[in-house]
Amino acid sequence: DPASVLSISLWLSFIATSALLIWASHQSANKPILLQAWMWLKGMFWVSLIASLATLPLIGYVFERLPAWSLLANVLLVPLYALGVLPIALLGEVFALLGLVDIASQIFEISGLMIGWGNQILLWIYTLPAGSLWLRSDMNEMYIVLGLCLVFIGLLWFKQQRLMALSSLMLVLFVFTNVMLSERVFTKPMLYVWDVGQGASSWLKTPDFSLVVDVPGKKVSKFNGGTVAAQNMRHLGILHADAVVLSHAQSDHAGGLQRLISNLNDVGEVWLADIPENHVYFKDVLALKAVRWLKRGDRFDVQDAAVQVLWPPQGLVVKNSNNASLVLLITLNTGQKLLFAGDMEAPVEAAIVEDMDEDMDEVDVMLMPHHGSKTSSTAALVNTLKPKIVIAQTGFHNRYGFPKDEVLKRYAAVDAKILNTADGYVSIRFDENGLEEISSDKFGFEEVELDVK
């Protein structure tokens, strides 16, 4: 199978086996028989340790995970499989070939039961401290450095410089772990609006705060907006979110929270509108994370920004979930105003415009309400806010035809720069002088800079 050379399983097995053969070739085969049991236990430990170390660079690079408990997992599971699962399964195969199907089935059930025990051990290990750590994925050169260091340490070991080898190993693993679990330093606020298809997900990163706004997807799906947002954040060197905003109870905005949580090392509180519908729809969220319940008129500060809640009123009951969207105005320390509008439609926009104070006069960046539907972005709202940049969150060639032409014309009439995630993710950098940089990139190959100040 020529394509097998592209299989990560083949390379993990090849590297681990190669390392074990190199190690075994330096071991003495002449041992007193009384030491065989002890040597077997020591050998199992060394096999597990060497396999874990040899495959660490490739596992980190491919899976972006730190297998902190891989040695423990191997020590527990290798005997279970070597002495239980595999011999019993082979015995069952022998009985099956002899035509004794009933006996074979009973034997296979025993083997399957042991596999279940192994799975339970893995699930337990996953719950241990550091059992599910993600690594930043913007420093791939660290895996090359790690691999070269491990080769050098192996040479020291075979030259009988054991103390130097162990000391070097501890130092290398300490430095590697600390670097890959650290986070990139952002000196200026950044807004990223992800390409997640026909859904909404964005990320506001200030020097000291990480805020995810919406994560779409079906709750049972492994790959959804939560996965995409987390992967993108790790690619930018960030492994946590201080808060997650779920604008309203629809899957194209809120279905991917569990995937986001499981794909980052830490997720803080969740921000939800304090309305009856959310207390029911997000009941699973309440069991996962602390919730900050927000209502119209709330104002509070986070690191490097001030947050104002424009909608909805506390206890609002509506037939259309779009009109229960949590609408936030965030003012950065650098002075820019950002509007996160969810899927609010014309009635909500009218209420916000009517109640608008001078602080709301004109915004620098806003997410186009309801993906650019004609039910939103009324002339009154657009003419009042006059955004410098407006971003439509839509899927490529989406069946709804978003954003609608009449909506685009309203924004164009106030000279707004219009961007669309259907063309790729959007990123904006802010500083005291205004919007420093805008880039839109479909596939991650290059950034196209637009001069918007």
Side-chain angles (χ1 to χ4, degrees):
D1 179 12
S4 65
V5 297
L6 303 177
S7 168
I8 184 61
S9 298
L10 179 143
W11 284 104
L12 287 172
S13 298
F14 178 80
I15 291 171
T17 304
S18 299
L20 292 172
L21 289 174
I22 293 171
W23 169 75
S25 67
H26 289 74
Q27 307 306 307
S28 172
N30 300 317
K31 298 290 182 182
I33 193 169
L34 295 178
L35 295 178
Q36 291 305 305
W38 170 242
M39 292 303 298
W40 186 87
L41 291 172
K42 284 181 60 178
M44 184 184 67
F45 172 82
W46 280 107
V47 164
S48 300
L49 178 62
I50 292 169
S52 298
L53 291 174
T55 57
L56 177 59
L58 189 59
I59 288 175
Y61 173 73
V62 173
F63 299 107
E64 301 177 16
R65 304 300 293 268
L66 181 66
W69 296 104
S70 61
L71 180 59
L72 174 63
N74 284 330
V75 167
L76 294 177
L77 293 178
V78 166
L80 178 66
Y81 274 80
L83 302 178
V85 173
L86 294 177
I88 293 174
L90 288 172
L91 180 63
E93 182 67 18
V94 170
F95 278 97
L97 291 173
L98 294 175
L100 303 174
V101 178
D102 292 339
I103 297 177
S105 296
Q106 294 178 3
I107 294 174
F108 280 130
E109 285 184 7
I110 297 173
S111 181
L113 180 64
M114 291 185 173
I115 292 175
W117 295 345
N119 291 340
Q120 291 301 314
I121 291 173
L122 288 175
L123 290 174
W124 169 70
I125 291 174
Y126 187 80
T127 63
L128 294 176
S132 56
L133 287 177
W134 290 92
L135 302 174
R136 54 189 295 181
S137 54
D138 61 330
M139 300 183 68
N140 290 334
E141 63 277 5
M142 285 296 297
Y143 298 111
I144 298 175
V145 174
L146 175 62
L148 293 175
C149 288
L150 290 175
V151 170
F152 175 73
I153 291 168
L155 293 175
L156 289 177
W157 184 268
F158 291 137
K159 290 182 178 181
Q160 303 302 315
Q161 299 181 34
R162 303 295 173 83
L163 181 60
M164 177 65 73
L166 289 174
S167 301
S168 300
L169 178 62
M170 295 301 176
L171 178 61
V172 167
L173 292 179
F174 176 80
V175 172
F176 172 80
T177 301
N178 276 273
V179 170
M180 298 305 287
L181 291 179
S182 67
E183 294 191 321
R184 172 186 166 191
V185 176
F186 280 71
T187 59
K188 297 178 181 180
M190 291 287 299
L191 173 66
Y192 293 87
V193 187
W194 308 124
D195 175 11
V196 289
Q198 186 53 42
S201 185
S202 56
W203 177 49
L204 177 63
K205 180 69 179 78
T206 70
D208 296 309
F209 199 76
S210 174
L211 177 67
V212 175
V213 180
D214 287 335
V215 277
K218 295 181 179 179
K219 296 180 181 180
V220 296
S221 173
K222 183 176 182 181
F223 299 101
N224 57 34
T227 306
V228 172
Q231 286 176 335
N232 291 340
M233 291 167 66
R234 298 198 308 270
H235 180 73
L236 292 165
I238 300 297
L239 302 171
H240 85 287
D242 294 298
V244 180
V245 177
L246 300 180
S247 61
H248 62 294
Q250 289 183 351
S251 62
D252 64 333
H253 287 254
L257 178 65
Q258 286 187 313
R259 295 308 307 171
L260 180 78
I261 292 173
S262 63
N263 280 269
L264 292 175
N265 286 343
D266 183 49
V267 173
E269 62 186 12
V270 178
W271 297 358
L272 295 173
D274 192 3
I275 60 174
E277 179 183 19
N278 286 351
H279 285 269
V280 176
Y281 185 88
F282 293 111
K283 60 183 179 180
D284 56 337
V285 174
L286 304 180
L288 291 174
K289 293 293 174 182
V291 173
R292 183 188 291 236
W293 295 102
L294 302 178
K295 63 184 182 302
R296 185 182 190 181
D298 283 349
R299 294 173 182 258
F300 58 95
D301 293 331
V302 295
Q303 296 287 344
D304 309 311
V307 181
Q308 180 180 351
V309 183
L310 305 181
W311 194 264
Q314 187 175 28
L316 177 71
V317 177
V318 291
K319 293 182 179 180
N320 183 353
S321 293
N322 290 338
N323 287 327
S325 291
L326 188 59
V327 181
L328 301 179
L329 176 69
I330 297 181
T331 304
L332 303 175
N333 282 358
T334 49
Q336 292 85 13
K337 295 182 175 64
L338 288 69
L339 183 69
F340 297 90
D343 278 354
M344 70 174 180
E345 297 185 354
V348 176
E349 294 182 1
I352 289 176
V353 170
E354 182 180 358
D355 193 44
M356 202 169 285
D357 56 33
E358 59 182 17
D359 290 340
M360 267 294 294
D361 236 359
E362 301 187 8
V363 298
D364 295 277
V365 180
M366 67 179 287
L367 301 185
M368 195 177 292
H370 200 186
H371 315 278
S373 166
K374 64 183 179 181
T375 62
S376 307
S377 298
T378 58
L381 182 77
V382 174
N383 292 332
T384 300
L385 297 182
K386 295 183 178 63
K388 294 178 182 177
I389 302 168
V390 61
I391 304 166
Q393 300 174 95
T394 72
F396 185 67
H397 285 172
N398 66 89
R399 61 191 177 96
Y400 305 102
F402 293 159
K404 296 294 185 180
D405 288 339
E406 56 264 45
V407 169
L408 297 178
K409 289 177 182 178
R410 291 177 201 144
Y411 288 109
V414 296
D415 296 324
K417 175 68 69 173
I418 302 171
L419 299 172
N420 191 344
T421 57
D423 300 321
Y425 81 89
V426 174
S427 64
I428 305 172
R429 182 182 293 119
F430 305 92
D431 69 9
E432 293 78 3
N433 298 319
L435 310 178
E436 185 180 78
E437 175 186 326
I438 302 173
S439 61
S440 182
D441 178 12
K442 182 65 178 173
F443 299 108
F445 298 142
E446 61 182 354
E447 290 189 345
V448 180
E449 295 188 9
L450 305 176
D451 184 17
V452 178
K453 298 292 186 182

